[in-house]
Amino acid sequence: MTELLTAAQMRAIERAAIESGAVTGLELMERAGRGVVEAVFEEWPALSQAPHKVVVLCGPGNNGGDGFVVARLLKGWGWEVEVFLYGEAASLPPDAKINHDRWCEMGTVARLAGAVKDEGAALLVDALFGTGLARPLGGAARVALASRAGKVVAVDLPSGLCSDSGRILGEGAMRADLTVTFHAAKLGHHLSDGPAHCGHLALADIGLVPGPDAVRLIAPPKAACLAKCAGHKYDHGHALILTGGAGKTGAARLAARGSLRIGAGVVSLGVPGSAQQEVAGHITALMLTRIEDGDALTQALKDRRINVLCLGPGMGTGERAKALIAAALDVGGFHPPYEGRSLVLDADALTVIAHDKALFGMLHERCVLTPHGGEFARLFPDIAEKLTTAATNGPAFSRVDATREAARRAGCVVLLKGPDTVIAAPDGRCTIHSAQYERAAPWLATAGAGDVLAGFITGLLARGLPPMQAAETAAYCHVECARAFGPGLIAEDLPEELPKVLRAL
């Protein structure tokens, strides 16, 4: 399942199931606890072979109720179980109180008042706070986070993390080796600090049906959208990618190579005279056209076969860059006879637009902006400030919130780059491409990788994919190329890995 839920959405799904009579809250709690135990044994098979010691930290809500179920099940498995409760038993929600009382028929509950003595424990179960945490942890709970048994499993979410943003609320959060969540992953499992604190993420099915309007993880694209049919090269689009001056053309050449590899029928590099010989000596399948300034670009764009432009990689931020962006936006939007031409704005182009309100105001729905964090802060300083301000209450402002707000303001698709890449459209649609957990690709932290991503998006737009789908598909293929190559990756390798990735699809 690729849906990612907020805490409120998860509560609504549970409430709907309970109110329909399909299940009781107590049954859901039992399924959750059993799901945790099963996930632990699957993650560490040796723990199922003989009794061990476990310390279970239970919180004052239903997450604590899940913890009491885990304690009871492991006790039945023959384990030595110690249970600590943060808060008062009398204040537990009804279902959690029932499971507290069931546990008390088997063992004792100690008050969690600080550090936990967990010597000899093979497992520490963090059931203090799950998805409902809305404030920093209290003193005793925060001290308990320092407890470290052989392995740590978090129930639903490591305590101290905001479920909707993945940000740490206050001063600290549990670091788990395994996090077991229920029904669907939450946004916080894939955003910001979430992956670093969750360890391995396991999903336990507790018998609920999906809800509407969830943010989704980007899934592998359907091969049909990347297949080529018989026809002329121009049937698959003509992309024009603008370069910088002499010595500044490498980034655009990387983008162009990526665009061509992902299937654009024709890719041309628009080059100033000072760099024409340099570029000509480096390209073969790519075409070259001389574009010195904005007027030259306007003239070149009379060729209506050019259906997408990419501006920014290595282009510089001076007057030439500003003139080229203005020309591209002027004839690239909805001004006859050039309706429907798409633009990818990356790197230097984003810096230029960030400092020119007039250019920013010319953005249209066929544009795709691809900022990294620094570029995003230049483009949307007030939005970025909310992301960098310490989170003290939940749900905290998230990268999903930020990207959605940016896309609405810009009136176009925004792709906020990172291991937790977020893509949003101005109508509120939003997806996450998570290069984390089993899809981690740390080798992408190399110069030029973002230029190739811009080229992938450009090529897919040339082939006719809508902006949101082009950005999603490019992000997926970009990471798959890195994973296919592995350690030692440099940006030039990404386009060359793409045929392997496409064949696998």
Side-chain angles (χ1 to χ4, degrees):
M1 187 178 294
T2 60
E3 64 178 345
L4 299 177
L5 301 178
T6 65
Q9 287 170 329
M10 183 64 190
R11 287 193 297 270
I13 291 171
E14 291 175 331
R15 185 168 55 251
I18 293 169
E19 290 175 353
S20 72
V23 68
T24 67
L26 202 59
E27 288 170 332
L28 287 176
M29 200 168 283
E30 188 73 19
R31 294 174 189 177
R34 190 170 298 278
V36 171
V37 173
E38 291 173 352
V40 165
F41 289 164
E42 183 175 349
E43 183 77 7
W44 302 297
L47 293 183
S48 66
Q49 302 304 311
H52 299 275
K53 179 181 176 181
V54 59
V55 172
V56 184
L57 308 181
C58 295
N62 284 328
N63 197 247
D66 297 338
F68 289 121
V69 175
V70 172
R72 175 165 47 80
L73 293 174
L74 289 177
K75 182 75 170 180
W77 202 263
W79 282 46
E80 178 187 349
V81 182
E82 292 185 2
V83 178
F84 294 84
L85 174 62
Y86 180 67
E88 301 296 332
S91 300
L92 287 167
D95 293 330
K97 181 64 166 62
I98 290 172
N99 277 308
H100 167 273
D101 295 345
R102 287 177 177 176
W103 163 252
C104 287
E105 295 174 2
M106 306 174 71
T108 60
V109 177
R111 183 180 179 84
L112 181 62
V116 174
K117 295 181 180 179
D118 56 1
E119 292 88 350
L123 188 69
L124 176 71
V125 178
D126 170 20
L128 285 170
F129 297 93
T131 60
L133 185 66
R135 63 185 187 280
L137 297 175
R142 190 167 63 248
V143 171
L145 296 185
S147 303
R148 183 72 194 189
K151 303 292 182 183
V152 176
V153 57
V155 178
D156 222 358
L157 194 76
S159 293
L161 284 181
C162 169
S163 176
D164 290 4
S165 68
R167 298 173 66 186
I168 296 171
L169 296 179
E171 299 179 13
M174 178 68 80
R175 284 189 178 269
D177 300 294
L178 170 68
T179 296
V180 185
T181 195
F182 313 115
H183 176 64
K186 314 307 180 291
L187 287 168
H189 292 130
H190 288 277
L191 293 173
S192 299
D193 301 305
H197 284 74
C198 287
H200 177 237
L201 181 63
L203 183 63
D205 183 2
I206 55 174
L208 298 173
V209 298
D213 303 323
V215 173
R216 295 189 176 272
L217 282 177
I218 294 173
K222 294 181 180 179
C225 80
L226 292 167
K228 275 196 169 182
C229 58
H232 193 273
K233 60 191 175 185
Y234 286 105
D235 292 337
H236 300 288
H238 183 182
L240 175 60
I241 299 174
L242 302 180
T243 81
K248 302 290 184 181
T249 67
R253 287 188 280 111
L254 282 171
R257 184 76 171 177
S259 183
L260 195 64
R261 277 290 189 196
I262 210 159
V266 181
V267 180
S268 294
L269 282 161
V271 186
S274 64
Q276 194 165 338
Q277 186 172 353
E278 173 186 317
V279 172
H282 280 94
I283 63 174
T284 47
L286 299 169
M287 298 177 68
L288 184 151
T289 184
R290 181 165 175 170
I291 296 180
E292 198 71 48
D293 52 25
D295 290 339
L297 177 58
T298 299
Q299 186 66 28
L301 291 178
K302 290 182 179 179
D303 182 350
R304 296 181 62 181
R305 295 173 301 182
I306 298 173
N307 63 340
V308 60
L309 290 86
C310 177
L311 300 93
M315 195 171 67
T317 58
E319 289 303 313
R320 174 179 178 267
K322 184 175 179 179
L324 290 174
I325 295 167
L329 287 168
D330 184 44
V331 300
F334 298 95
H335 303 279
Y338 306 110
E339 291 96 336
R341 182 173 279 144
S342 300
L343 279 78
V344 176
L345 298 164
D346 184 45
D348 290 340
L350 300 175
T351 298
V352 172
I353 291 171
H355 294 99
D356 193 310
K357 292 182 179 180
L359 290 179
F360 187 93
M362 294 171 68
L363 296 172
H364 56 79
E365 64 182 23
R366 297 293 304 177
C367 294
V368 179
L369 310 184
T370 59
H372 56 56
E375 292 159 346
F376 187 90
R378 287 193 285 275
L379 281 164
F380 311 101
D382 56 325
I383 302 175
E385 184 179 3
K386 290 189 280 188
L387 270 181
T388 55
T389 301
T392 56
N393 294 290
F397 192 76
S398 73
R399 282 170 61 86
V400 165
D401 299 323
T403 312
R404 275 179 162 156
E405 189 172 331
R408 283 193 295 268
R409 184 179 300 179
C412 63
V413 168
V414 175
L415 182 151
L416 176 54
K417 290 186 282 196
D420 51 349
T421 290
V422 182
I423 305 170
D427 61 7
R429 286 175 296 147
C430 187
T431 53
I432 295 174
H433 186 267
S434 179
Q436 298 165 122
Y437 301 113
E438 70 279 358
R439 296 200 72 247
W443 315 288
L444 279 174
T446 184
D451 303 314
V452 177
L453 175 61
F456 283 178
I457 298 171
T458 302
L460 292 169
L461 288 167
R463 297 185 59 184
L465 270 67
M468 185 79 173
Q469 185 183 4
E472 292 170 341
T473 304
Y476 182 89
C477 290
H478 191 239
V479 167
E480 283 301 292
C481 289
R483 295 179 68 238
F485 190 93
L489 174 83
I490 58 175
E492 288 96 321
D493 300 320
L494 290 166
E496 311 317 309
E497 285 297 304
L498 189 57
K500 183 191 301 182
V501 170
L502 298 179
R503 284 193 297 271
L505 290 172

